Amino acid sequence: MKRTVIALLASALFMTGASAQVTKRLNRLEVTFADTLKLDSLYNFWNAYVQLHPKDEMAWRNLFDASEGKVHDMIYRTRDWDGCERYRKQLNVVGRMEKAIPDSYTFYYCAHEGSYLPEAEEKRYRENGAMTLFAHYDAYADSAIARLPDDAYADDYETWIPYLIEECDSVRLKNILTRYYESGQYPEEDLQYHFNELQGMDEGGVYIGVHDGDIIGKLILQQVLGVHKDKIVFHENAAMHPWQVRRLFGKIGIPFNEEVWGLLHMAEQEQQLLKFLRYIVDNSKRPVYLSAHNMWGLIIGKGLPDELKACFYNEGLTMRYSTRPYDNRSVKRRNIEKRYRLEYLRMPFHPKRKEDRRRFANVPEAYAIDYVRLLHDQLPYYKQHNKERYQWLRDIFTDIIEPLEKENNYVVDELKGYLK
């Protein structure tokens, strides 16, 4: 009875004008934060819908997102890896998709992201005693990238960029970065923040990020817009793959061989990441930086150990490694006065997007708030030594805080306290 009702609802939606419109993409946040009942409802609706419209790629994508939401919800609730693997196979969304829309971008995307394997590949996994719950078949990724539509969503770009980084495929990577930038979906405020992070670094600096979000904007700046190309940017997951480590160390100018990999490679990811970071800061002759925005997220979200943290000095938006104490506050003032471009924070001159198509976007306000948190400690100095600079910086902070207060979406008491 329940299935019949949902089928009738889908049919009614179609008859009342949906046929004249393009099927809309599910809001990823709606899936990410949905409870079990909501996920069931979304799955049932789109499962009925694709039966009525088997060639509708967006409907299949919505069904896939709902089904993966159900699988990951089950993983979170049960931690039964084998059971979740069986459940995904039972739903068989990608298998049904292969029959309905074979050789399509949507099929190849979902096959790669949904750990759908060709029969021979799955047999190989089984023979090796490995589960396929998180497996990925590269041929599906390559087929999807070759068919990436012009109206692709931002989270598609942010799926394929890390894949191409891992593959060390510089040609396709630049092409995807260019298409992402030209799509207009990457927020300009994010690019401004990434630009200022690089702008405060010395020539040839090495930037170590936590995840893809730390470097995609910087790669757009370097490879598409052609700025700060002297900087080396990567995130800590590069430590998990020897071919990436070899390529990275070659850029940095530090040795890599089987002995080095043997020293770095550990069964425990946390220990491997820590050894990887220590090896870079101990052996690189280049200046090494972390993001002050989220350095707490390094080493699987646990942050740096205290003895290593003590060697990183704040220079504004970034933290620089040094075994010798130095006057980092004067460097921060240099960045504020001569390097950072901050006027974009005063007033935006573009309309807000009605539909944010980025999956895990940093809201522009979050980066703006970081300027206040990371630079406010220079206000007392400027108040005493440079009244004009003090007023300029304070005005920028005020221009950041006042819109946040008007929107009533942020508690600004902490930020306002910095201005006293």
Side-chain angles (χ1 to χ4, degrees), residues 184-394:
Q185 294 182 76
Y186 199 93
E188 62 185 81
E189 296 92 343
D190 285 24
L191 280 178
Q192 290 277 12
Y193 190 92
H194 289 298
F195 177 86
N196 279 337
E197 280 192 300
L198 296 175
Q199 186 81 348
M201 293 167 53
D202 283 351
E203 186 176 352
V206 176
Y207 178 95
I208 305 173
V210 175
H211 48 62
D212 306 316
D214 280 340
I215 67 166
I216 289 177
K218 294 177 178 66
L219 291 174
I220 290 174
L221 288 167
Q222 291 181 324
Q223 299 194 32
V224 180
L225 301 179
V227 296
H228 288 298
K229 298 180 72 172
D230 60 297
K231 314 297 192 304
I232 297 172
V233 301
F234 67 97
H235 61 85
E236 63 175 20
N237 281 344
M240 308 312 295
H241 306 291
W243 61 91
Q244 286 201 67
V245 175
R246 179 184 301 278
R247 188 164 182 261
L248 173 64
F249 282 11
K251 287 182 179 179
I252 296 175
I254 53 181
F256 179 83
N257 50 41
E258 288 187 10
E259 182 180 355
V260 171
W261 179 245
L263 292 172
L264 298 178
H265 185 58
M266 306 280 291
E268 293 293 330
Q269 184 181 13
E270 180 182 342
Q271 292 303 313
Q272 182 164 338
L273 292 174
L274 190 55
K275 281 181 172 287
F276 174 72
L277 183 59
R278 287 184 183 279
Y279 187 82
I280 290 174
V281 297
D282 287 345
N283 291 276
S284 175
K285 294 180 180 179
R286 297 169 176 263
V288 177
Y289 299 83
L290 306 178
S291 171
H293 170 72
N294 58 2
M295 63 177 291
W296 56 268
L298 284 163
I299 320 298
I300 321 181
K302 296 184 178 179
L304 302 177
D306 289 342
E307 68 273 15
L308 192 54
K309 192 186 301 181
C311 293
F312 278 94
Y313 292 80
N314 178 252
E315 293 187 351
L317 304 184
T318 52
M319 311 289 294
R320 180 172 179 169
Y321 179 80
S322 177
T323 54
R324 297 179 180 178
Y326 68 100
D327 185 5
N328 61 302
R329 287 177 172 256
S330 67
V331 178
K332 179 186 281 194
R333 288 192 290 274
R334 176 208 67 186
N335 288 339
I336 291 172
E337 297 166 18
K338 298 180 180 180
R339 293 198 175 181
Y340 295 158
R341 300 180 182 178
L342 303 178
E343 291 304 314
Y344 81 94
L345 294 162
R346 306 297 297 266
M347 178 183 291
F349 290 97
H350 60 86
K352 286 189 175 180
R353 286 188 179 277
K354 293 181 180 178
E355 182 185 359
D356 187 352
R357 301 181 78 189
R358 299 194 69 210
R359 178 171 51 172
F360 297 123
N362 272 313
V363 235
E365 290 82 2
Y367 277 143
I369 288 170
D370 273 347
Y371 282 105
V372 183
R373 288 182 171 149
L374 294 171
L375 306 182
H376 77 271
D377 61 349
Q378 296 308 300
L379 284 175
Y381 174 88
Y382 285 133
K383 191 172 185 178
Q384 181 178 355
H385 299 283
N386 189 332
K387 292 293 177 62
E388 184 178 350
R389 182 66 67 178
Y390 165 78
Q391 195 60 51
W392 170 80
L393 188 59
R394 194 180 188 282

Side-chain angles (χ1 to χ4, degrees), residues 60-251:
W60 278 109
R61 179 67 176 266
N62 289 343
L63 177 60
F64 173 77
D65 287 346
S67 68
E68 287 299 287
K70 285 166 66 66
V71 170
H72 286 89
D73 176 61
M74 185 177 177
I75 292 172
Y76 176 77
R77 288 186 290 104
T78 69
R79 303 295 178 185
D80 178 5
W81 311 110
D82 291 332
C84 293
E85 193 171 5
R86 289 193 299 271
Y87 183 57
R88 181 190 266 158
K89 289 182 177 298
Q90 177 187 331
L91 296 176
N92 192 32
V93 170
V94 182
R96 290 185 281 141
M97 193 186 301
E98 186 174 21
K99 294 180 180 178
I101 50 170
D103 202 37
S104 64
Y105 170 77
T106 300
F107 164 68
Y108 288 121
Y109 171 91
C110 297
H112 183 264
E113 292 302 289
S115 303
Y116 185 75
L117 302 176
E119 186 176 338
E121 187 72 7
E122 184 162 349
K123 182 180 179 182
R124 185 178 68 83
Y125 268 80
R126 299 297 180 197
E127 289 173 349
N128 293 329
M131 66 177 182
T132 63
L133 187 61
F134 302 112
H136 292 294
Y137 187 55
D138 288 354
Y140 287 145
D142 294 333
S143 294
I145 292 169
R147 292 163 177 78
L148 185 69
D150 291 336
D151 62 348
Y153 278 66
D155 54 326
D156 290 47
Y157 288 111
E158 295 195 6
T159 295
W160 303 129
I161 288 169
Y163 168 76
L164 294 173
I165 292 172
E166 186 175 322
E167 291 295 299
C168 302
D169 190 334
S170 57
V171 175
R172 285 193 297 169
L173 175 61
K174 182 174 181 179
N175 176 262
I176 295 296
L177 288 168
T178 302
R179 291 182 61 183
Y180 189 12
Y181 173 72
E182 291 178 349
S183 77
Q185 294 182 76
Y186 199 93
E188 62 185 81
E189 296 92 343
D190 285 24
L191 280 178
Q192 290 277 12
Y193 190 92
H194 289 298
F195 177 86
N196 279 337
E197 280 192 300
L198 296 175
Q199 186 81 348
M201 293 167 53
D202 283 351
E203 186 176 352
V206 176
Y207 178 95
I208 305 173
V210 175
H211 48 62
D212 306 316
D214 280 340
I215 67 166
I216 289 177
K218 294 177 178 66
L219 291 174
I220 290 174
L221 288 167
Q222 291 181 324
Q223 299 194 32
V224 180
L225 301 179
V227 296
H228 288 298
K229 298 180 72 172
D230 60 297
K231 314 297 192 304
I232 297 172
V233 301
F234 67 97
H235 61 85
E236 63 175 20
N237 281 344
M240 308 312 295
H241 306 291
W243 61 91
Q244 286 201 67
V245 175
R246 179 184 301 278
R247 188 164 182 261
L248 173 64
F249 282 11
K251 287 182 179 179

Side-chain angles (χ1 to χ4, degrees), residues 21-26 46 58-59 62 153:
Q21 303 174 10
V22 175
T23 304
K24 289 187 177 181
R25 171 88 179 273
L26 262 180
W46 289 107
M58 189 57 75
N62 289 343
Y153 278 66

